[in-house]
Amino acid sequence: MDRIRSAFNSVIKNERYSRFTLQPAEDGERHVEVKLSDDATDDATEAEGQAGGSMSFRPALPYQNRRHLCYLVLGTLLIFVTGYLIGYVSHRKPQTTTPTLNCDAGVELEAEKQQDGSQAVVAPVSDPQLDWKDITKLLKQKLTSQAFEKVLKDYDMNRRSAGSDEDKSLANRIYGEFRKQQMDPWTDIHYVQLQMPDSERPNQVLFGSDVFKPTGYLAYSATGKVQGKLVYGNYGRQEDLDVLQKKNVELKGSVMLLRTGKISFAEQVDNAATKGASAVLIYPDVEDYKYLANTALYGHVHLGSGDPYTPGFPSFNHTQFPPTQSSGLPKIPAQTITANMASTLLQNIGGPESDESFKGGLSSLTYRLGGIENVTVEVNNVLVNKEIHNVFGVIKGFTDPDRYVVLGAQRDAWGKGYAKATVGTSVLLELARAVKEMVEKDGFRPKRSLVFASWSAGEYGSVGATEWLEGYMSSIDRSVITYISLDGVVMGRGSFMASASPLLYSLLENTMKEVQSPLGSGTMYDMMGKLNWQNNALRPMSMDDPSYPFLAFSGIPAVSFHFISPNIEAYTYYGTNLDSMDHLNYQTNHHTSEMTAVAAQFAGQMALRLIHDRLLNLDVSRYSSVVTSAVGRVNGRISQLKQSGQLKEVNSIWLMGARGSFQRAADALNLAITNTDLNDKEACRILNDRMLRVEHTLLSPYVSPVETPFRHLLLGRGSHTLASITETTDMEQLHTQLALATSTLHGCANAMMGEIWDID
């Protein structure tokens, strides 16, 4: 057969033949005439002699010879085709189609590369392996309370401070676990400056004859020794300080005594500094924190995240550390003290009696506002260079491996950090093990990738995570679908709260409908009031939330969630040495391992839904109400200023128009989703890219990440935000920021529309 095929190919591929024509014969029959180019005549004659036949085509062949030639050509062609088909059938590779799952775990078309390189379309084939119910069932089976009981004990440590030997040893251990699971682990090393107490010069507070030397401290406080009138300012919120000013308590130059809670340490210090205070003391009041009154308190006061001495850029070893620092570093000293120390100060503070809302749980004294007695605060913290390691592992997707969900947990803590670090690390590792096993043994084929991240220096303001974002933003800003924080996922039992990008509200709701309530009956959706779940569970994302840098700095949809005891907003043992297994067991009524398993299932189902469905579970329509509400407040503020005559030649009509463009773009995107065949992989990828542009394009391009890192127009912090526009008293700044905010919102709407010719 090969010889016949070769002979035939030598005939039809010979360049000497210019064309075949059919010439009519005298008897009406048609014969084949093969015309030669002029320069090929001699070669044809030679070939004719070698063939041993009369193949001269000038003059025409006699009729019989012509007919024989025709039969010969047709016969040869028939033999060739028959042989080719026999060879193809006997040697072709069997067809195989890798089963994939669409948005509804249904059917899809797959094209297979054939042996000859062509694409053959295979008929729709139902996936014989896993649908969504199979996946959730497998996940629940693998994430058991028994497994978590063991891993929680394994990772319970007495000390795990950032950059310490224990921290690095734990990082190596996690790296080893990822390598054992064949997750292609890697590390990300940064050289950061962390502030710590000076062992030779302890911080101290002097009040009359009393000298206090607290062991707790606030990282990134300004250093120095200051004196001022002691003033009690409740939680240090803006409304609290306004009360003091209304009562004519002088705040300028004062040392403010504040109780922790409601807002972050950094916000408390910033509010006090804005009012002119010279220093801040912060203590845990027994009304909010029912533990030993001599418990030391730890935290940080950087109004930002990451290493404040390399703002906006990563602290790699090759970084030359330019002489700059974050604008969020406080200008005044700040120090924590115990409840016992605060009690002594409050007993002798003097001044007018406070309002009822200012009174705490120290029943042995009367809460007064002070402004009478002097107090001295001395802070001697020092900066220490530390090497920190972030550790990563990945489970790669089968269809779009370049799109991934990141699950992260902080590894370090001030003390034992059981709820803060042990639980999150355990969930991270068990989720990685469970999903990897589903892929290797159970036939799960995720479309996108899962990245598991263990962060260091989280206690200093998400330093490890932020440095990673700063270092690789150009590589990950359009690839990371969502960040899911595993920090503090178990704080108690009986209730639930979450903070998230509006894009993830629907995903949260759907997951709550599927995960069983830890109380034993119904789902989490039932537990949180069904249709009223948003009011009961959702909280605004605060600056000290570990998800905040991903959302407000990087424009990545992010979510944090927490199982917590009813009627409690925070875990009282954070930032103390009391964050231990015993105290968390008390909060969960000794169901810690069960609660951890439920939290892992909740995080896992959110992550798997995002990497399993062909269409991403990002609901753009949930942002519309957020945008409308924010724009409405700005419009009301501008109308008020115009009526009072404070603002002229400024109109909010353009901002209202941008809001309309956003709404129309969201509607158009939802309509495109409705009208798209979700079996079409390329169409789904285009829609997914349009959804992923929303969060990123809400970052203002008009502010510097060095000066204003949290650039998000709606959820960020700074003069560029819509919330700031409603509060500013500088009319020139308002005019400028209004124009820039309008442009940012229009840009987001345009990006959501997709193609440039579809832009409204």
Side-chain angles (χ1 to χ4, degrees), residues 595-611:
M595 292 304 306
T596 307
V598 174
Q601 291 166 22
F602 193 89
Q605 286 203 196
M606 284 196 296
L608 293 185
R609 178 63 83 177
L610 288 166
I611 64 172

Side-chain angles (χ1 to χ4, degrees), residues 232-291:
Y232 172 59
N234 204 20
Y235 295 105
R237 298 168 296 185
Q238 188 63 51
E239 56 266 35
D240 295 328
L241 304 186
D242 289 342
V243 169
L244 292 175
Q245 289 184 316
K246 288 178 182 178
K247 291 183 176 292
N248 297 318
V249 176
E250 181 61 49
L251 300 183
K252 187 174 183 180
S254 67
V255 174
M256 300 201 67
L257 176 63
L258 307 175
R259 54 173 168 163
T260 184
K262 307 300 182 183
I263 59 177
S264 68
F265 292 137
E267 290 171 303
Q268 288 179 310
V269 175
D270 184 64
N271 288 343
T274 301
K275 296 295 185 180
S278 61
V280 174
L281 298 173
I282 302 176
Y283 78 100
D285 195 279
V286 295
E287 181 180 65
D288 307 304
Y289 300 90
K290 303 183 187 305
Y291 46 64

Side-chain angles (χ1 to χ4, degrees), residues 112-249:
E112 179 194 12
K113 275 273 187 187
Q114 301 297 338
Q115 190 174 12
D116 61 353
S118 64
Q119 294 282 345
V121 177
V122 181
V125 178
S126 296
D127 191 331
Q129 298 181 0
L130 298 177
D131 61 16
W132 179 245
K133 288 185 178 179
D134 292 329
I135 293 170
T136 55
K137 183 178 179 180
L138 277 170
L139 186 69
K140 186 175 181 180
Q141 289 173 350
K142 295 178 187 299
L143 298 172
T144 64
S145 59
Q146 293 81 6
F148 276 108
E149 189 171 354
K150 179 181 183 303
V151 74
L152 286 169
K153 289 180 180 178
D154 289 344
Y155 285 90
D156 186 13
M157 300 172 61
N158 289 323
R159 187 171 182 270
R160 52 171 80 225
S161 59
S164 66
D165 291 339
E166 295 85 354
D167 178 36
K168 293 177 183 177
S169 175
L170 184 54
N172 290 334
R173 185 177 173 187
I174 293 170
Y175 183 95
E177 287 295 322
F178 287 160
R179 183 170 58 184
K180 181 180 177 181
Q181 297 293 336
Q182 297 182 344
M183 292 172 58
D184 300 328
W186 73 96
T187 58
D188 170 51
I189 300 176
H190 295 273
Y191 299 82
V192 299
Q193 295 188 74
L194 306 179
Q195 196 185 61
M196 298 180 178
D198 189 339
S199 58
E200 297 181 358
R201 295 185 304 152
N203 300 339
Q204 57 184 1
V205 178
L206 292 76
F207 186 64
S209 60
D210 294 308
V211 178
F212 304 111
K213 295 183 178 181
T215 56
Y217 80 107
L218 293 169
Y220 300 124
S221 163
T223 57
K225 184 177 182 179
V226 298
Q227 186 181 72
K229 302 295 183 182
L230 183 63
V231 173
Y232 172 59
N234 204 20
Y235 295 105
R237 298 168 296 185
Q238 188 63 51
E239 56 266 35
D240 295 328
L241 304 186
D242 289 342
V243 169
L244 292 175
Q245 289 184 316
K246 288 178 182 178
K247 291 183 176 292
N248 297 318
V249 176

Side-chain angles (χ1 to χ4, degrees), residues 475-605:
S475 304
I476 65 178
D477 65 338
R478 303 298 176 91
S479 298
V480 179
I481 298 166
T482 293
Y483 177 72
I484 300 175
S485 172
L486 303 178
D487 293 331
V489 290
V490 178
M491 299 177 176
R493 182 171 182 262
S495 189
F496 175 83
M497 62 182 186
S499 302
S501 160
L503 288 175
L504 298 172
Y505 286 175
S506 292
L507 178 63
L508 272 170
E509 182 177 7
N510 293 334
T511 306
M512 290 174 67
K513 290 178 179 178
E514 294 183 331
V515 175
Q516 293 298 305
S517 167
L519 301 182
S521 62
T523 65
M524 287 180 56
Y525 188 68
D526 301 322
M527 182 181 79
M528 296 310 297
K530 295 185 177 180
L531 296 178
N532 203 34
W533 77 271
Q534 284 191 230
N535 292 331
N536 294 334
L538 284 183
R539 302 288 185 274
M541 189 175 289
S542 63
M543 186 180 298
D544 55 350
D545 192 301
S547 290
Y548 193 71
F550 289 84
L551 178 62
F553 171 71
S554 303
I556 295 170
V559 56
S560 295
F561 67 91
H562 315 278
F563 288 88
I564 196 165
S565 302
N567 304 316
I568 293 178
E569 290 291 318
Y571 186 65
T572 58
Y573 300 108
Y574 275 172
T576 73
N577 289 319
L578 301 178
D579 182 8
S580 63
M581 178 179 65
D582 290 339
H583 283 109
L584 185 58
N585 281 339
Y586 175 78
Q587 292 294 322
T588 63
N589 196 21
H590 298 280
H591 287 84
T592 299
S593 59
E594 291 92 336
M595 292 304 306
T596 307
V598 174
Q601 291 166 22
F602 193 89
Q605 286 203 196

Side-chain angles (χ1 to χ4, degrees), residues 624-644:
S624 296
S625 60
V626 177
V627 172
T628 298
S629 177
V631 171
R633 288 192 292 270
V634 173
N635 186 49
R637 170 69 170 164
I638 291 175
S639 298
Q640 181 185 34
L641 291 172
K642 290 179 68 176
Q643 289 177 2
S644 65

